[in-house]
Amino acid sequence: MGRKFISLILLMVISASSTVGADAEEIPAYWRKTMTNDPQTNFYLAESLKPLPNKDAETLKVLRLSLIAGNLCLGAAIDTKTGDAFLRRAGYNHIRGKVWDEATFLADDWFKYFNYRSLAHLCAGIDYIFGPEGKLVPNLVKPGNGEPKGSYDLQNPYLRLPPLRKPNG
């Protein structure tokens, strides 16, 4: 199970490193007002806490959120031991066939318009969703400094997220 989580992390790092802009600018000042660790002011954080209608889709959404937060946020790191335990509890290895297809469709739809602004707000709220008292999976992601690793590219704000690898085919 540990190798699966690590391979998912590597897949995210490899594909995401090319998506964050090269000739970029600072985070716009008006975003900073809402880049908080509080779902009352951080819309993107509040949206990430809303459960999906399907348990398996919710598992995939949380997995993808943790991979994004752990790999694209400055100073953040994923605790693979906690990640493996979460995947076992959630039954990740048993999501197959039509169930996988439906779950990925629902989870991917949540990330359809994921952009740099969403990432910046997610990075600001990592501690709330994945910190020691995290609302989704406590201690899954070490928060870091609350900002994205890459710079903001006004010309290309959307992030291309790779598909998740199916467990055991």
Side-chain angles (χ1 to χ4, degrees), residues 20-96:
V20 181
D23 56 344
E25 302 174 12
E26 287 293 315
I27 294 174
Y30 63 95
W31 290 6
R32 295 226 181 252
K33 292 178 189 172
T34 57
M35 286 176 59
T36 65
N37 204 25
D38 178 12
Q40 298 291 337
T41 56
N42 186 336
F43 169 79
Y44 301 94
L45 180 59
E47 286 296 306
S48 72
L49 295 172
K50 290 181 182 176
L52 292 177
N54 176 313
K55 174 189 163 295
D56 297 323
E58 181 65 18
T59 298
L60 297 181
K61 179 184 94 169
V62 170
L63 173 61
R64 188 177 291 262
L65 278 170
S66 69
L67 292 171
I68 290 168
N71 293 302
L72 299 179
C73 297
L74 192 62
I78 296 172
D79 181 340
T80 55
K81 190 174 181 180
T82 304
D84 289 341
F86 163 71
L87 293 177
R88 269 194 306 282
R89 275 192 321 273
Y92 178 74
N93 281 333
H94 302 291
I95 305 173
R96 294 194 175 107

Side-chain angles (χ1 to χ4, degrees), residues 48 61 74 97 112 132 145 151 157-158:
S48 72
K61 179 184 94 169
L74 192 62
K112 189 185 305 182
N145 76 350
S151 301
Y158 288 96

